[in-house]
Amino acid sequence: MVAGKGAVKGSLWQNEKVRFAVCFCGVFVCYFYYGILQETITRGDYSQGEKKEKFRYATTLVFIQCIINAIFARILIQIFEGSRPDHTQSWLYGVCALSYLGAMVSSNSALQYVNYPTQVLGKSCKPIPVMILGVTILRKKYPMAKYLCVLLIVTGVALFLYKPNKGSTASDEHFFGFGEMLLILSLTLDGLTGVAQDHMRGRFQTGANHMMLNVNLWSTLVLGLAVLWTGEVWEFLSFADRYPSIIYNILLFGFTSALGQTFIFMTVVYFGPLTCSIVTTTRKFFTILGSVLLFGNVLSPMQWLGTILVFLGLGLDAKFGKAPKKTTH
């Protein structure tokens, strides 16, 4: 009887639709709460008497996040994979970590030169460079329907998130600047991250937990050197000593990040970086859409059009966007 139940569970997990639903819901739930914790930490009220302070230790926060992610991945490997060997070349993990961190730093730095809506709109185009670089570097082949689906989803998310600045004047507008260059750099690095991940899963059949562990170990090394070089880590420790309540939030933030990253890397390994980028992009859309509907806000005609395009793109992708399965002889 027990063996029968195990077989049912195993066959259920082998169902691609069930697996995708678990990955998508895991990413959605974890990163929804992750966003709440991130805002609580970075925009919290830190005051002693009349003295008020702001949290200015973003690099250290990501450094701690990567440490917790690596520990979490190591525990998962010990529990579920045991002594399963990982044949992936170490330099690939390093490239993946550097491009991932570079994309994050570039997009955050762009906020110094462009407004937040512009940054969000730019990052919503992430599936495009992942697809383009996958085609040009790895010679991947996607069904023609896939290109249309990605275009519909990206356009829909962009229309939904776009909020024109009504107070801007013609003199304030510019077509291209340093902020936009940083966004393009961030998107390019996102694409290179996808290429590295695709190469790992195709050439070495890299597992989700091994990928998560090693990418975070490399990220921890790079960020550790950065916070020591700048001295930020010592300033953070002094800040945490003054406001010890932040430690609980950071630990919970790290755990949420680790759980969310587990689903992210599962999506990459089982469905590929392009599908993962579509999931993370539409996750932002569904988060905002849910907030709008729950609080009774009215959608503008542009947002309704964006909503229709996103659902149309997702529906077409589910129906026609998959490459035909290879048959073995």
Side-chain angles (χ1 to χ4, degrees):
M1 191 72 178
V2 175
K5 287 182 180 179
V8 170
K9 288 181 180 179
S11 62
L12 190 64
W13 181 243
Q14 294 303 318
N15 187 306
E16 193 174 77
K17 291 181 180 179
V18 172
R19 191 186 290 170
F20 180 78
V22 170
C23 289
F24 182 86
C25 292
V27 170
F28 183 89
V29 173
C30 291
Y31 280 101
F32 180 79
Y33 191 42
Y34 170 92
I36 294 173
L37 288 168
Q38 187 177 42
E39 188 166 2
T40 301
I41 294 168
T42 58
R43 303 184 65 180
D45 179 24
Y46 303 104
S47 57
Q48 290 181 337
E50 296 183 356
K51 182 183 178 182
K52 291 186 176 181
E53 296 184 69
K54 290 185 177 181
F55 186 87
R56 304 179 185 276
Y57 314 102
T59 306
T60 304
L61 181 63
V62 179
F63 172 61
I64 296 172
Q65 177 184 340
C66 290
I67 293 175
I68 296 175
N69 289 344
I71 294 172
F72 192 81
R74 170 56 71 184
I75 293 172
L76 291 178
I77 290 172
Q78 289 296 117
I79 294 174
F80 296 107
E81 300 185 31
S83 58
R84 177 191 169 189
D86 177 29
H87 301 292
T88 309
Q89 295 177 347
S90 184
W91 68 268
L92 272 173
Y93 289 128
V95 169
C96 192
L98 288 174
S99 58
Y100 167 75
L101 290 174
M104 189 190 306
V105 170
S106 299
S107 61
N108 288 335
S109 299
L111 287 172
Q112 299 178 32
Y113 306 96
V114 299
N115 55 27
Y116 184 70
T118 301
Q119 191 247 27
V120 172
L121 286 175
K123 292 299 286 183
S124 71
C125 298
K126 180 180 176 180
I128 293 177
V130 172
M131 175 177 277
I132 291 174
L133 290 180
V135 170
T136 55
I137 297 177
L138 296 179
R139 307 298 182 189
K140 288 183 68 68
K141 293 182 179 180
Y142 296 102
M144 287 304 298
K146 193 75 173 180
Y147 296 94
L148 174 61
C149 296
V150 169
L151 182 61
L152 286 173
I153 292 169
V154 169
T155 304
V157 172
L159 288 175
F160 188 88
L161 297 178
Y162 178 63
K163 293 180 181 178
N165 188 357
K166 296 179 181 179
S168 65
T169 61
S171 60
D172 295 325
E173 296 178 356
H174 60 279
F175 293 100
F176 198 79
F178 190 63
E180 285 78 7
M181 290 177 63
L182 286 172
L183 285 176
I184 291 175
L185 174 61
S186 177
L187 289 171
T188 303
L189 291 171
D190 281 330
L192 291 174
T193 302
V195 167
Q197 290 172 336
D198 246 336
H199 184 67
M200 282 189 278
R201 66 189 287 263
R203 178 75 181 276
F204 302 101
Q205 289 77 50
T206 309
N209 296 326
H210 281 104
M211 190 181 293
M212 178 177 171
L213 170 66
N214 288 281
V215 168
N216 279 286
L217 285 177
W218 276 94
S219 300
T220 299
L221 174 62
V222 173
L223 291 171
L225 292 173
V227 296
L228 286 173
W229 177 265
T230 60
E232 182 182 302
V233 65
W234 311 119
E235 295 176 13
F236 167 78
L237 291 174
S238 176
F239 183 87
D241 184 57
R242 293 193 296 275
Y243 307 101
S245 61
I246 197 177
I247 297 174
Y248 172 77
N249 285 333
I250 288 178
L251 290 176
L252 191 57
F253 171 79
F255 174 75
T256 309
S257 165
L259 196 56
Q261 248 195 33
T262 301
F263 289 110
I264 287 283
F265 282 105
M266 281 172 59
T267 308
V268 169
V269 168
Y270 289 128
F271 303 101
L274 179 60
T275 299
C276 184
S277 66
I278 292 174
V279 167
T280 54
T281 298
T282 52
R283 189 270 307 174
K284 298 175 185 177
F285 163 78
F286 280 114
T287 300
I288 298 172
L289 178 62
S291 175
V292 168
L293 296 178
L294 284 173
F295 293 101
N297 296 316
V298 179
L299 293 178
S300 68
M302 184 180 292
Q303 286 178 315
W304 275 116
L305 176 60
T307 301
I308 292 170
L309 290 178
V310 169
F311 280 106
L312 180 61
L314 291 173
L316 290 174
D317 186 52
K319 183 75 174 176
F320 305 108
K322 296 177 183 177
K325 293 184 179 179
K326 297 179 179 179
T327 56
T328 56
H329 299 283

